[in-house]
Amino acid sequence: MSRPVDRESPDRLYTITSGRSRGGDEVFDAVTLVVAECDPTPGMQSEHSRILRMCQRPMAVVEVSARLGLPVNVVRILLTDLLDAGRITARHPTAVNSAVSPFASPDVLEKVLVALQKL
């Protein structure tokens, strides 16, 4: 009988990161959006292939981590490999500037609150 694979066993994590313990910290934070720029190729590491398949649409690093069942730090290393190879692009979500956005004004928020209370 075979044992179930422990996705966070130190030996497995060491293997899939090629022994690296750091990488991508300056490029990838938890909410960085990742998009695949190509399809997986034969012989590619299975985790890299899975990332490319799941990131056909923008996906946050933390979501990639959750779907792979791997720690965020390990996923950052894998994403760095793919970014360096030109297989993904990464971008940070744009912040909403409250001075420009009419939806962030206190008057609009108060009107929404009043309307919700009337329901």
Side-chain angles (χ1 to χ4, degrees), residues 28 34 38 44 47-52 75-89:
F28 299 104
V34 177
C38 64
M44 182 179 273
E47 289 80 10
H48 288 145
S49 295
R50 288 182 63 201
I51 290 169
L52 291 177
V75 171
R76 285 180 179 151
I77 294 168
L78 297 172
L79 291 172
T80 299
D81 295 342
L82 293 170
L83 184 67
D84 290 347
R87 297 180 180 274
I88 63 168
T89 54

Side-chain angles (χ1 to χ4, degrees), residues 10-113:
D11 292 340
R12 180 171 182 277
L13 298 179
Y14 182 86
T15 301
I16 65 174
T17 61
S18 301
R20 294 168 290 164
S21 61
R22 299 192 56 94
D25 297 342
E26 58 282 337
V27 177
F28 299 104
D29 62 21
V31 296
T32 301
L33 297 174
V34 177
V35 180
E37 294 296 326
C38 64
D39 292 325
T41 56
M44 182 179 273
Q45 183 175 332
S46 63
E47 289 80 10
H48 288 145
S49 295
R50 288 182 63 201
I51 290 169
L52 291 177
R53 282 193 296 276
M54 74 174 68
C55 292
Q56 294 300 311
R57 293 200 167 123
M59 184 176 292
V61 170
V62 71
E63 188 174 353
V64 173
S65 172
R67 289 188 181 197
L68 288 176
L70 295 171
V72 172
N73 289 339
V74 171
V75 171
R76 285 180 179 151
I77 294 168
L78 297 172
L79 291 172
T80 299
D81 295 342
L82 293 170
L83 184 67
D84 290 347
R87 297 180 180 274
I88 63 168
T89 54
R91 62 183 167 88
H92 295 278
T94 56
V96 175
N97 184 346
S98 62
V100 175
S101 174
F103 300 109
S105 75
D107 293 336
V108 171
L109 293 175
E110 186 175 349
K111 288 177 183 177
V112 170
L113 180 61

